C-alpha cells in the first residue's frame, strides 16, 4: 500500500475523508486511537479495545462517544471483509486557537479500514531481529498506559532505521529501563517467570499484552510486572513482542546477541492460536 492509497473511512458516520483544520486531534494530538485486528469479519478483542478507548477518554476529559455507535459504524465498514485492520480515532473535535479545551467538546470519530499487513509468516514462526532505539521515552504518569495520539517518540524511533530485516526497535526510558517496542509490548522469560515492564510512567498498556498475561496464568507460568534493563534482557531465556495485529513475535536477535525461540513463547503462541480457532467469543471475555 502506498501512502496515497485510498482506504475506506467514515468520519462521524459519513463516508468522507476530511477533518476540519481546527480539529484538536490534528492541532495538538488531543485524542486517542485503537488499532484492531479483524478476523472472520469480527473485530478481535472489541470490548477490550473499547474499554481502553473509554478509559483514555476519561483520562483526557473527552466525552465518551458511545461504543454502540462505534460498533455500528465499524460493522458498516467491515461488510463482506474477512480479514483487515480497523483503526478507530477519537479526538476532542474542533476548537478555537489555543490549548484550552472547548467547554462542550463534540468529539470527532474516525474509522478506517486498512488491508491486513503483509508481515512475513517467518516473523511469528522463526522470530525477528530487533534493534535498540536511541530515542528514549520520558516519564508521564498521567498519560502512561492509554493510547493517545501524541506518538512523536515512536515516530522519531521508527525513523532511526530503514533496514527491512529489522522488524522492531526497542525503546528504553530516560533511566535505561526497557519499556516496549515502537509498536509493541516487550516480554522476557527468565527462570520460568514471564516478566513485562509495569508501564506506570510511560508506554502503552497493550490489549495483546493483557491477553498474553492471562494466557500465561493458564499455562501456568508465573507473571511479574517489573522494570528491567539491557543486562537482564541479554540474560533472558526468551524474549518476545506483542501487539493486536502481530500477536506474538519471538525476538531472536539484537546486534550480536541471539536468543532461541523458547518453549514458553511457543506455548503462548499455541494458546493464542487455539483461542483464535475457538472464535471471538472467548477473546472478548473480560
Ligand atoms: C507504542 C505501542 N506500544 C504497545 C502497543 C501494543 O498495543 P496493542 O496490544 O493494544 O496492539 C502498540 C500498538 O500499536 C504501540 O503503538
Amino acid at each position: 500500500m502506498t501512502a496515497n492509497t485510498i482506504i475506506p473511512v467514515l468520519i462521524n458516520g459519513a463516508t468522507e475523508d476530511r477533518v476540519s483544520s481546527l480539529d484538536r486531534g490534528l492541532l495538538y494530538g488531543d485524542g486517542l486511537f485503537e488499532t484492531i485486528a479483524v478476523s472472520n469479519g469480527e473485530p478481535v478483542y472489541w470490548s477490550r479495545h473499547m474499554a481502553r478507548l473509554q478509559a483514555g477518554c476519561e483520562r483526557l476529559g473527552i466525552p465518551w462517544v458511545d461504543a454502540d455507535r462505534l460498533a455500528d459504524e465499524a460493522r458498516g465498514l467491515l461488510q463482506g471483509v474477512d480479514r483487515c485492520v480497523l483503526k478507530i480515532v477519537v479526538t476532542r473535535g474542533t476548537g478555537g486557537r489555543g490549548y484550552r479545551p472547548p467547554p462542550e467538546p463534540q468529539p470527532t470519530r474516525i474509522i478506517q479500514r486498512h488491508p491486513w499487513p503483509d508481515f512475513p509468516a517467518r516473523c511469528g514462526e522463526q522470530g525477528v531481529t530487533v534493534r535498540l532505539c536511541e530515542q528514549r521515552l520520558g516519564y508521564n504518569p498521567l498519560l502512561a498506559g492509554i493510547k493517545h495520539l501524541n506518538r512523536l517518540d515512536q515516530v522519531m524511533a521508527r525513523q532511526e532505521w530503514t533496514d527491512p530485516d529489522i522488524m522492531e526497535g526497542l525503546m528504553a526510558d530516560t533511566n535505561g529501563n526497557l519499556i516496549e517496542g515502537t509498536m509493541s509490548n516487550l516480554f522476557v522469560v527468565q527462570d520460568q517467570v514471564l516478566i513485562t515492564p509495569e508501564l506506570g510512567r510511560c508506554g502503552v498498556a497493550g490489549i495483546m499484552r493483557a491477553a498474553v498475561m492471562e494466557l500465561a496464568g493458564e499455562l501456568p507460568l508465573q507473571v511479574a510486572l517489573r522494570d528491567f534493563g539491557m543486562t537482564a534482557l541479554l540474560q533472558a531465556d526468551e524474549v518476545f513482542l506483542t501487539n493486536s495485529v502481530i500477536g506474538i513475535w519471538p525476538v531472536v536477535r539484537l546486534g550480536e546477541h541471539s536468543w532461541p525461540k523458547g518453549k514458553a513463547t511457543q506455548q503462548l503462541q499455541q494458546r493464542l492460536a487455539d483461542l483464535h480457532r475457538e472464535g471471538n467469543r472467548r477473546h472478548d471475555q473480560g
Side-chain angles (χ1 to χ4, degrees):
M1 192 172 81
T2 70
N4 293 325
T5 306
I6 295 172
I7 49 144
V9 55
L10 291 177
I11 298 183
N12 295 327
T15 314
E16 61 168 314
D17 197 10
R18 281 158 205 252
V19 289
S20 164
S21 67
L22 293 177
D23 195 285
R24 292 174 61 94
L26 170 67
L27 296 178
Y28 309 123
D30 190 358
L32 300 138
F33 71 111
E34 292 292 329
T35 304
I36 306 175
V38 174
S39 176
N40 301 321
E42 291 287 327
V44 178
Y45 292 128
W46 173 262
S47 16
R48 294 174 188 233
H49 282 285
M50 288 303 105
R52 181 172 63 185
L53 189 58
Q54 183 168 9
C57 282
E58 276 163 19
R59 189 93 67 91
L60 298 187
I62 294 176
W64 177 230
V65 291
D66 182 359
D68 289 342
R69 182 149 67 163
L70 284 177
D72 283 346
E73 291 171 359
R75 215 170 288 123
L77 214 52
L78 290 179
Q79 266 179 20
V81 179
D82 191 53
R83 194 144 176 76
C84 64
V85 173
L86 203 59
K87 180 159 177 169
I88 299 184
V89 181
V90 173
T91 80
R92 199 186 301 266
T94 56
R97 202 187 62 76
Y99 294 132
R100 186 178 177 172
E104 289 183 25
Q106 305 288 318
T108 303
R109 309 182 303 282
I110 304 172
I111 309 190
Q112 303 167 337
R113 191 184 80 212
H114 293 265
W116 189 256
D118 53 0
F119 294 126
R122 66 179 152 75
C123 293
E125 287 160 9
Q126 289 153 37
V128 295
T129 297
V130 301
R131 72 192 296 281
L132 179 64
C133 294
E134 281 166 34
Q135 178 71 27
R136 299 287 180 110
L137 294 168
Y139 289 167
N140 204 333
L142 279 179
L143 295 179
I146 63 174
K147 206 161 172 191
H148 57 74
L149 286 173
N150 290 239
R151 291 288 145 212
L152 284 178
D153 286 330
Q154 285 74 22
V155 172
M156 294 295 284
R158 187 58 191 86
Q159 68 182 2
E160 285 181 21
W161 84 95
T162 52
D163 179 349
D165 292 332
I166 295 180
M167 296 306 292
E168 177 61 311
L170 303 185
M171 298 189 73
D173 67 18
T174 42
N175 280 335
N177 301 304
L178 291 163
I179 301 296
E180 59 183 356
T182 64
M183 57 159 191
S184 58
N185 288 114
L186 174 65
F187 286 83
V188 298
V189 180
Q190 179 75 65
D191 300 325
Q192 291 302 311
V193 182
L194 181 65
I195 306 164
T196 194
E198 195 261 332
L199 307 183
R201 292 166 304 207
C202 50
V204 172
I207 300 299
M208 191 54 75
R209 170 180 179 267
V212 161
M213 287 195 283
E214 285 173 24
L215 291 179
E218 292 173 19
L219 273 181
L221 195 62
Q222 203 187 316
V223 182
L225 297 178
R226 192 192 306 153
D227 288 340
F228 56 86
M230 271 309 272
T231 309
L233 181 82
L234 297 180
Q235 286 169 356
D237 300 327
E238 305 176 32
V239 180
F240 65 85
L241 300 168
T242 63
N243 83 19
S244 294
V245 176
I246 66 175
I248 298 173
W249 277 355
V251 174
V252 291
R253 179 165 286 278
L254 191 167
E256 294 301 302
H257 193 89
S258 63
W259 297 267
K261 178 183 171 182
K263 190 162 162 249
T265 308
Q266 288 176 52
Q267 286 176 324
L268 286 164
Q269 283 182 317
Q270 190 57 51
R271 289 292 300 126
L272 201 59
D274 292 346
L275 207 56
H276 223 81
R277 266 190 298 277
E278 286 170 31
N280 227 353
R281 239 171 338 108
R282 271 226 48 204
H283 271 117
D284 250 359
Q285 285 173 1

